Amino acid sequence: MPSDFEAWLPLWGQYLAQNDTKMRWPDRTALFRQLAHQTDNAAAMIVECDGKIVGIAHYQIHHARFAFENAYYVQDIYVIPAFQAQRAGATLMRAIYAAAQQTGAPAVYWKAAEHLYGTNDTAAATSSFLQFRKAA
């Protein structure tokens, strides 16, 4: 497992930097442990090229109270820029779609920062829903 952590950590760091986010070291290790053991309905997917991890996706399976079905919420997705043109991100999303389908979950959804979202992305259609936030 230490080698998995060592392979995951640089990509997670790049994801955080891309999103101008910081995370304490204990929180990084706790997150990896949660993903590796799939606790709290959290899970991860990776995409490899020539035996090297070039992309990660973290998702959470949650129960929709109004629909009585599970849904997959993709919380984080990151692909090393040199592999984005090879559609590594689409490969990750297809793997998550397949996992959702395998468990009977009818929906996979996520949010994306506008400045990071490609206008020619064909992973899914955008929604007419808005996201509202208020600081606590």
Side-chain angles (χ1 to χ4, degrees), residues 48-104:
E48 294 179 319
C49 184
D50 297 326
K52 177 185 175 193
I53 296 176
V54 299
I56 57 173
H58 305 153
Y59 61 96
Q60 187 166 20
I61 305 163
H62 70 88
H63 190 72
R65 302 287 181 238
F66 56 88
F68 300 101
E69 296 174 313
N70 289 333
Y72 280 50
Y73 173 57
V74 181
Q75 293 181 302
D76 315 299
I77 186 166
Y78 179 78
V79 173
I80 294 172
F83 294 90
Q84 291 173 358
Q86 296 176 27
R87 311 280 302 149
T91 300
L92 280 167
M93 290 307 297
R94 280 193 303 273
I96 294 170
Y97 294 155
Q101 187 176 34
Q102 204 170 43
T103 63

Side-chain angles (χ1 to χ4, degrees), residues 92-126:
L92 280 167
M93 290 307 297
R94 280 193 303 273
I96 294 170
Y97 294 155
Q101 187 176 34
Q102 204 170 43
T103 63
V108 175
Y109 67 101
W110 64 95
K111 295 179 274 191
E114 286 186 73
H115 72 281
L116 297 174
Y117 189 77
T119 56
N120 63 349
D121 195 328
T122 58
T126 57

